[in-house]
Amino acid sequence: ELKVEQNPLFLSMQEGKNYTIYCNYSTTSDRLYWYRQDPGKSLESLFVLLSNGAVKQEGRLMASLDTKARLSTLHITAAVHDLSATYFCAVALTEKLTFGTGTRLTIIP
Amino acid sequence: EPEVTQTPSHQVTQMGQEVILRCVPISNHLYFYWYRQILGQKVEFLVSFYNNEISEKSEIFDDQFSVERPDGSNFTLKIRSTKLEDSAMYFCASSLRTGGRETQYFGPGTRLLVL
């Protein structure tokens, strides 16, 4: 059974700082997604990573995938308050997405 | 920009009642999904649907659940006899293709509360 774990579960960081969220998964896959969820809202697609070594960047967020290590990272650069949200990684083996536990990120002014 | 829509946004029901949650996927998408998220927990896959039949389902998706595409636009999730533990946010999603290489776009969700 595929297991997807994220750490940390909670992250409180100051504006302007850098940090990384980690997503580990138990079964080899080359299809990994990052989603953002604001409280009470839906899931917004951030990145789709489809090959080993894939790196994608959008604004202050950068995601990478290492399929050999079964690890994806979401790096936040010079955090701003607007980035406060819960971030989920999700891995696809078949059609379904298996989501991680989520990382609740709070940016403190 | 096209988006997935869901109705109702909130539904309160009594235990044992039937509920139908409705979704309108993005118009040219061919693959449809239901997920749920119990409050404060991670998102869980329920079922995927393609070409008018279920293509994959989880162990959560038991005989109490069914899905249907009654016309060319709607995609529904029915829970026949709701239980307290069915209380959750239910998300519909759609994608253009499957194989897990296409982004699944999620709707805003229906918050279901079973009393």
Side-chain angles (χ1 to χ4, degrees), chain A residues 4 30-31 33 35 37 40-43 45 48 50-51 88 92-102 104, chain B residues 31 33 35 37 41-43 45 48-49 55-56 89 91 98-109 111:
Chain A
V4 182
D30 60 357
R31 293 170 278 167
Y33 302 79
Y35 285 86
Q37 185 180 40
K41 303 292 186 182
S42 186
L43 295 147
S45 176
V48 180
L50 298 177
S51 61
F88 290 95
L93 288 181
T94 57
E95 296 170 20
K96 72 178 188 182
L97 297 181
T98 300
F99 281 81
T101 45
R104 184 174 295 179
Chain B
Y31 297 85
Y33 313 85
Y35 291 81
Q37 184 180 31
Q41 298 186 22
K42 65 179 179 179
V43 179
F45 170 80
S48 59
F49 191 86
S55 47
E56 189 172 356
M89 180 76 96
F91 292 108
T98 188
R101 292 189 172 273
E102 289 282 334
T103 298
Q104 293 183 20
Y105 293 90
F106 284 73
R111 187 172 295 281

Side-chain angles (χ1 to χ4, degrees), chain B residues 14-66:
Chain B
Q14 295 290 325
M15 191 169 56
Q17 294 296 304
E18 174 184 286
V19 294
I20 298 176
L21 310 183
R22 292 183 167 79
C23 168
V24 178
I26 294 173
S27 62
N28 63 336
H29 284 187
L30 301 175
Y31 297 85
F32 315 116
Y33 313 85
W34 283 101
Y35 291 81
R36 79 173 186 190
Q37 184 180 31
I38 295 171
L39 188 63
Q41 298 186 22
K42 65 179 179 179
V43 179
E44 301 173 291
F45 170 80
L46 293 177
V47 66
S48 59
F49 191 86
Y50 168 69
N51 200 25
N52 280 320
E53 59 183 31
I54 291 172
S55 47
E56 189 172 356
K57 62 181 181 179
S58 72
E59 57 191 28
I60 302 170
F61 193 88
D62 61 21
D63 291 344
Q64 292 301 312
F65 291 87
S66 62

